[in-house]
mmCIF file of all heavy atoms in Angstrom:
data_model
loop_
_atom_site.group_PDB
_atom_site.id
_atom_site.type_symbol
_atom_site.label_atom_id
_atom_site.label_comp_id
_atom_site.label_asym_id
_atom_site.label_seq_id
_atom_site.Cartn_x
_atom_site.Cartn_y
_atom_site.Cartn_z
ATOM 1 N N GLY A 1 63.821 -80.405 21.723
ATOM 2 C CA GLY A 1 64.167 -79.889 20.415
ATOM 3 C C GLY A 1 63.084 -79.993 19.366
ATOM 4 O O GLY A 1 63.335 -79.671 18.203
ATOM 5 N N LYS A 2 61.892 -80.430 19.748
ATOM 6 C CA LYS A 2 60.813 -80.592 18.793
ATOM 7 C C LYS A 2 59.604 -79.766 19.210
ATOM 8 O O LYS A 2 59.426 -79.426 20.378
ATOM 9 C CB LYS A 2 60.422 -82.062 18.661
ATOM 10 C CG LYS A 2 61.554 -82.965 18.211
ATOM 11 C CD LYS A 2 61.092 -84.391 17.982
ATOM 12 C CE LYS A 2 60.208 -84.507 16.745
ATOM 13 N NZ LYS A 2 59.850 -85.926 16.462
ATOM 14 N N GLN A 3 58.760 -79.472 18.236
ATOM 15 C CA GLN A 3 57.533 -78.731 18.493
ATOM 16 C C GLN A 3 56.514 -79.627 19.190
ATOM 17 O O GLN A 3 56.532 -80.853 19.042
ATOM 18 C CB GLN A 3 56.942 -78.212 17.180
ATOM 19 C CG GLN A 3 57.853 -77.295 16.384
ATOM 20 C CD GLN A 3 57.733 -75.861 16.794
ATOM 21 O OE1 GLN A 3 57.650 -75.538 17.986
ATOM 22 N NE2 GLN A 3 57.716 -74.973 15.819
ATOM 23 N N ARG A 4 55.624 -78.985 19.935
ATOM 24 C CA ARG A 4 54.515 -79.717 20.517
ATOM 25 C C ARG A 4 53.666 -80.317 19.411
ATOM 26 O O ARG A 4 53.349 -79.644 18.422
ATOM 27 C CB ARG A 4 53.681 -78.786 21.391
ATOM 28 C CG ARG A 4 52.520 -79.466 22.097
ATOM 29 C CD ARG A 4 51.721 -78.468 22.908
ATOM 30 N NE ARG A 4 51.137 -77.441 22.068
ATOM 31 C CZ ARG A 4 50.513 -76.353 22.515
ATOM 32 N NH1 ARG A 4 50.401 -76.147 23.822
ATOM 33 N NH2 ARG A 4 50.006 -75.476 21.666
ATOM 34 N N GLU A 5 53.279 -81.560 19.578
ATOM 35 C CA GLU A 5 52.572 -82.305 18.557
ATOM 36 C C GLU A 5 51.260 -82.831 19.114
ATOM 37 O O GLU A 5 51.233 -83.430 20.186
ATOM 38 C CB GLU A 5 53.427 -83.479 18.071
ATOM 39 C CG GLU A 5 52.756 -84.380 17.052
ATOM 40 C CD GLU A 5 53.621 -85.569 16.683
ATOM 41 O OE1 GLU A 5 54.221 -86.184 17.596
ATOM 42 O OE2 GLU A 5 53.709 -85.875 15.476
ATOM 43 N N ARG A 6 50.189 -82.631 18.387
ATOM 44 C CA ARG A 6 48.921 -83.231 18.753
ATOM 45 C C ARG A 6 48.939 -84.703 18.389
ATOM 46 O O ARG A 6 49.192 -85.062 17.237
ATOM 47 C CB ARG A 6 47.757 -82.524 18.060
ATOM 48 C CG ARG A 6 46.395 -82.961 18.581
ATOM 49 C CD ARG A 6 45.279 -82.260 17.835
ATOM 50 N NE ARG A 6 45.141 -82.755 16.477
ATOM 51 C CZ ARG A 6 44.356 -82.212 15.558
ATOM 52 N NH1 ARG A 6 43.654 -81.121 15.851
ATOM 53 N NH2 ARG A 6 44.283 -82.738 14.351
ATOM 54 N N VAL A 7 48.659 -85.545 19.364
ATOM 55 C CA VAL A 7 48.703 -86.985 19.170
ATOM 56 C C VAL A 7 47.323 -87.545 18.865
ATOM 57 O O VAL A 7 47.151 -88.332 17.928
ATOM 58 C CB VAL A 7 49.302 -87.680 20.404
ATOM 59 C CG1 VAL A 7 49.298 -89.199 20.232
ATOM 60 C CG2 VAL A 7 50.720 -87.177 20.656
ATOM 61 N N ALA A 8 46.336 -87.186 19.670
ATOM 62 C CA ALA A 8 45.012 -87.766 19.531
ATOM 63 C C ALA A 8 43.980 -86.840 20.136
ATOM 64 O O ALA A 8 44.260 -86.103 21.079
ATOM 65 C CB ALA A 8 44.940 -89.137 20.209
ATOM 66 N N LEU A 9 42.768 -86.895 19.594
ATOM 67 C CA LEU A 9 41.628 -86.141 20.097
ATOM 68 C C LEU A 9 40.439 -87.073 20.253
ATOM 69 O O LEU A 9 40.288 -88.030 19.496
ATOM 70 C CB LEU A 9 41.223 -85.020 19.143
ATOM 71 C CG LEU A 9 42.208 -83.889 18.865
ATOM 72 C CD1 LEU A 9 41.644 -82.986 17.774
ATOM 73 C CD2 LEU A 9 42.483 -83.101 20.127
ATOM 74 N N VAL A 10 39.586 -86.758 21.215
ATOM 75 C CA VAL A 10 38.294 -87.411 21.327
ATOM 76 C C VAL A 10 37.261 -86.348 21.660
ATOM 77 O O VAL A 10 37.448 -85.545 22.578
ATOM 78 C CB VAL A 10 38.301 -88.557 22.365
ATOM 79 C CG1 VAL A 10 38.704 -88.075 23.750
ATOM 80 C CG2 VAL A 10 36.944 -89.253 22.399
ATOM 81 N N THR A 11 36.168 -86.321 20.901
ATOM 82 C CA THR A 11 35.129 -85.330 21.118
ATOM 83 C C THR A 11 34.137 -85.809 22.157
ATOM 84 O O THR A 11 34.151 -86.958 22.590
ATOM 85 C CB THR A 11 34.383 -85.030 19.814
ATOM 86 O OG1 THR A 11 33.576 -86.162 19.463
ATOM 87 C CG2 THR A 11 35.338 -84.714 18.681
ATOM 88 N N GLY A 12 33.229 -84.897 22.540
ATOM 89 C CA GLY A 12 32.162 -85.283 23.442
ATOM 90 C C GLY A 12 31.250 -86.342 22.867
ATOM 91 O O GLY A 12 30.599 -87.065 23.623
ATOM 92 N N GLY A 13 31.198 -86.428 21.547
ATOM 93 C CA GLY A 13 30.436 -87.461 20.873
ATOM 94 C C GLY A 13 31.229 -88.713 20.572
ATOM 95 O O GLY A 13 30.768 -89.552 19.799
ATOM 96 N N ASP A 14 32.422 -88.825 21.147
ATOM 97 C CA ASP A 14 33.278 -90.009 21.044
ATOM 98 C C ASP A 14 33.854 -90.189 19.641
ATOM 99 O O ASP A 14 34.204 -91.304 19.249
ATOM 100 C CB ASP A 14 32.523 -91.266 21.473
ATOM 101 C CG ASP A 14 33.439 -92.341 22.025
ATOM 102 O OD1 ASP A 14 34.481 -91.995 22.618
ATOM 103 O OD2 ASP A 14 33.122 -93.534 21.859
ATOM 104 N N LYS A 15 33.969 -89.102 18.893
ATOM 105 C CA LYS A 15 34.718 -89.143 17.642
ATOM 106 C C LYS A 15 36.197 -88.985 17.950
ATOM 107 O O LYS A 15 36.577 -88.197 18.813
ATOM 108 C CB LYS A 15 34.264 -88.034 16.701
ATOM 109 C CG LYS A 15 32.771 -88.023 16.411
ATOM 110 C CD LYS A 15 32.341 -89.229 15.607
ATOM 111 C CE LYS A 15 30.867 -89.114 15.224
ATOM 112 N NZ LYS A 15 30.404 -90.276 14.436
ATOM 113 N N THR A 16 37.039 -89.716 17.231
ATOM 114 C CA THR A 16 38.469 -89.694 17.496
ATOM 115 C C THR A 16 39.260 -89.297 16.266
ATOM 116 O O THR A 16 38.805 -89.445 15.126
ATOM 117 C CB THR A 16 38.961 -91.058 17.994
ATOM 118 O OG1 THR A 16 38.705 -92.050 16.999
ATOM 119 C CG2 THR A 16 38.260 -91.443 19.288
ATOM 120 N N ASN A 17 40.459 -88.804 16.516
ATOM 121 C CA ASN A 17 41.374 -88.441 15.453
ATOM 122 C C ASN A 17 42.787 -88.644 15.966
ATOM 123 O O ASN A 17 43.058 -88.409 17.148
ATOM 124 C CB ASN A 17 41.159 -86.995 15.016
ATOM 125 C CG ASN A 17 41.760 -86.693 13.657
ATOM 126 O OD1 ASN A 17 42.248 -87.576 12.959
ATOM 127 N ND2 ASN A 17 41.724 -85.419 13.277
ATOM 128 N N TYR A 18 43.695 -89.067 15.075
ATOM 129 C CA TYR A 18 45.062 -89.390 15.459
ATOM 130 C C TYR A 18 46.049 -88.828 14.459
ATOM 131 O O TYR A 18 45.770 -88.753 13.256
ATOM 132 C CB TYR A 18 45.274 -90.900 15.519
ATOM 133 C CG TYR A 18 44.370 -91.618 16.485
ATOM 134 C CD1 TYR A 18 43.140 -92.117 16.075
ATOM 135 C CD2 TYR A 18 44.745 -91.802 17.812
ATOM 136 C CE1 TYR A 18 42.304 -92.776 16.957
ATOM 137 C CE2 TYR A 18 43.916 -92.461 18.701
ATOM 138 C CZ TYR A 18 42.701 -92.947 18.271
ATOM 139 O OH TYR A 18 41.872 -93.603 19.155
ATOM 140 N N VAL A 19 47.214 -88.484 14.963
ATOM 141 C CA VAL A 19 48.309 -88.160 14.067
ATOM 142 C C VAL A 19 48.742 -89.441 13.353
ATOM 143 O O VAL A 19 48.656 -90.544 13.910
ATOM 144 C CB VAL A 19 49.477 -87.517 14.842
ATOM 145 C CG1 VAL A 19 50.120 -88.512 15.795
ATOM 146 C CG2 VAL A 19 50.495 -86.910 13.896
ATOM 147 N N ASP A 20 49.176 -89.308 12.098
ATOM 148 C CA ASP A 20 49.465 -90.482 11.291
ATOM 149 C C ASP A 20 50.466 -91.430 11.943
ATOM 150 O O ASP A 20 50.350 -92.652 11.806
ATOM 151 C CB ASP A 20 49.985 -90.061 9.918
ATOM 152 C CG ASP A 20 48.903 -89.519 9.008
ATOM 153 O OD1 ASP A 20 47.709 -89.707 9.302
ATOM 154 O OD2 ASP A 20 49.259 -88.899 7.988
ATOM 155 N N SER A 21 51.443 -90.892 12.646
ATOM 156 C CA SER A 21 52.506 -91.713 13.189
ATOM 157 C C SER A 21 52.050 -92.677 14.280
ATOM 158 O O SER A 21 52.778 -93.621 14.603
ATOM 159 C CB SER A 21 53.637 -90.836 13.724
ATOM 160 O OG SER A 21 53.180 -89.997 14.768
ATOM 161 N N VAL A 22 50.871 -92.467 14.859
ATOM 162 C CA VAL A 22 50.399 -93.348 15.926
ATOM 163 C C VAL A 22 49.172 -94.147 15.528
ATOM 164 O O VAL A 22 48.706 -94.980 16.324
ATOM 165 C CB VAL A 22 50.110 -92.576 17.227
ATOM 166 C CG1 VAL A 22 51.292 -91.701 17.604
ATOM 167 C CG2 VAL A 22 48.832 -91.748 17.117
ATOM 168 N N LYS A 23 48.651 -93.943 14.344
ATOM 169 C CA LYS A 23 47.468 -94.676 13.912
ATOM 170 C C LYS A 23 47.727 -96.179 13.926
ATOM 171 O O LYS A 23 48.755 -96.650 13.453
ATOM 172 C CB LYS A 23 47.040 -94.232 12.511
ATOM 173 C CG LYS A 23 46.413 -92.857 12.475
ATOM 174 C CD LYS A 23 45.999 -92.469 11.063
ATOM 175 C CE LYS A 23 45.337 -91.102 11.043
ATOM 176 N NZ LYS A 23 44.972 -90.674 9.669
ATOM 177 N N GLY A 24 46.786 -96.902 14.487
ATOM 178 C CA GLY A 24 46.929 -98.341 14.617
ATOM 179 C C GLY A 24 47.669 -98.785 15.849
ATOM 180 O O GLY A 24 47.691 -99.984 16.158
ATOM 181 N N ARG A 25 48.279 -97.845 16.564
ATOM 182 C CA ARG A 25 49.038 -98.179 17.768
ATOM 183 C C ARG A 25 48.447 -97.562 19.027
ATOM 184 O O ARG A 25 48.519 -98.166 20.093
ATOM 185 C CB ARG A 25 50.489 -97.725 17.624
ATOM 186 C CG ARG A 25 51.224 -98.361 16.458
ATOM 187 C CD ARG A 25 52.722 -98.061 16.505
ATOM 188 N NE ARG A 25 53.006 -96.634 16.396
ATOM 189 C CZ ARG A 25 53.619 -95.911 17.327
ATOM 190 N NH1 ARG A 25 54.037 -96.479 18.454
ATOM 191 N NH2 ARG A 25 53.845 -94.618 17.134
ATOM 192 N N PHE A 26 47.892 -96.364 18.921
ATOM 193 C CA PHE A 26 47.355 -95.645 20.075
ATOM 194 C C PHE A 26 45.836 -95.577 19.985
ATOM 195 O O PHE A 26 45.273 -95.467 18.889
ATOM 196 C CB PHE A 26 47.887 -94.216 20.133
ATOM 197 C CG PHE A 26 49.348 -94.069 20.458
ATOM 198 C CD1 PHE A 26 50.212 -95.152 20.486
ATOM 199 C CD2 PHE A 26 49.865 -92.810 20.741
ATOM 200 C CE1 PHE A 26 51.556 -95.003 20.780
ATOM 201 C CE2 PHE A 26 51.205 -92.646 21.040
ATOM 202 C CZ PHE A 26 52.052 -93.739 21.056
ATOM 203 N N THR A 27 45.190 -95.591 21.137
ATOM 204 C CA THR A 27 43.749 -95.441 21.212
ATOM 205 C C THR A 27 43.395 -94.455 22.311
ATOM 206 O O THR A 27 43.810 -94.626 23.458
ATOM 207 C CB THR A 27 43.054 -96.779 21.496
ATOM 208 O OG1 THR A 27 43.387 -97.726 20.479
ATOM 209 C CG2 THR A 27 41.537 -96.595 21.531
ATOM 210 N N ILE A 28 42.633 -93.423 21.962
ATOM 211 C CA ILE A 28 42.155 -92.469 22.943
ATOM 212 C C ILE A 28 40.711 -92.813 23.305
ATOM 213 O O ILE A 28 39.921 -93.209 22.447
ATOM 214 C CB ILE A 28 42.271 -91.017 22.434
ATOM 215 C CG1 ILE A 28 41.961 -90.013 23.546
ATOM 216 C CG2 ILE A 28 41.404 -90.780 21.212
ATOM 217 C CD1 ILE A 28 42.294 -88.568 23.181
ATOM 218 N N SER A 29 40.380 -92.668 24.578
ATOM 219 C CA SER A 29 39.030 -92.936 25.036
ATOM 220 C C SER A 29 38.741 -92.058 26.246
ATOM 221 O O SER A 29 39.647 -91.440 26.812
ATOM 222 C CB SER A 29 38.835 -94.412 25.374
ATOM 223 O OG SER A 29 39.703 -94.810 26.424
#
């Protein structure tokens, strides 16, 4: 019942980005 949500990204240069709801809890690598 919910839309697809982007959770986290990591670039080729190891830059990361997170949706606010998971910041501090999730880590992408």
